[in-house]
Amino acid sequence: MVENGSGGGNETQWWWWWAMASMAQLGWGVSAYKRGYAGDSRLMPLKAFAVASLFLGSAASASIASLQASGIHKVQDFVDLGANIRTGIGAPPRVAKEKVDDR
């Protein structure tokens, strides 16, 4: 496996596993959709839910793969990315709202 190189830990790049899972789910969902429904009509909602779950799972896996491939692993990475974008477009930085204790 390839080392990530961000921070001295043993982080391994797993994004390609997520990408493969996404492709497999998408392929399975497309083949199930094209095959259509055959069988007892009472089970049709279950099959429709299963096919929809495959498409939704494929989208979720692809999202995780793209985030990990781009180097975004934590919420703080998103915050830093947002700050960099705001700086790049010339917008003033956002000030974090402080928690007020009402005692």
Side-chain angles (χ1 to χ4, degrees), residues 9 12 22 29 37 40 45 56 58 68 70 73-75 89 94:
T12 308
S22 175
Y37 180 75
D40 190 9
L56 205 66
S58 173
Q68 288 194 353
S70 66
H73 301 291
K74 299 179 227 162
V75 174
I89 62 173
R94 288 190 172 186

Side-chain angles (χ1 to χ4, degrees), residues 25-39:
Q25 286 177 331
L26 184 62
W28 192 8
V30 167
S31 72
Y33 180 74
K34 280 186 173 183
R35 196 172 349 149
Y37 180 75

Side-chain angles (χ1 to χ4, degrees), residues 13-50:
Q13 290 185 354
W14 290 96
W15 64 268
W16 61 278
W17 281 102
W18 286 99
M20 285 178 35
S22 175
M23 290 186 296
Q25 286 177 331
L26 184 62
W28 192 8
V30 167
S31 72
Y33 180 74
K34 280 186 173 183
R35 196 172 349 149
Y37 180 75
D40 190 9
S41 64
R42 292 176 290 175
L43 296 176
M44 188 175 161
L46 180 64
K47 174 136 186 194
F49 179 77

Side-chain angles (χ1 to χ4, degrees), residues 1-17:
M1 296 265 164
V2 180
E3 291 297 321
N4 194 354
S6 62
N10 269 346
E11 294 184 25
T12 308
Q13 290 185 354
W14 290 96
W15 64 268
W16 61 278
W17 281 102

Side-chain angles (χ1 to χ4, degrees), residues 84-98:
N84 289 340
I85 291 172
R86 289 183 68 80
T87 302
I89 62 173
R94 288 190 172 186
V95 178
K97 294 180 182 178
E98 294 182 20

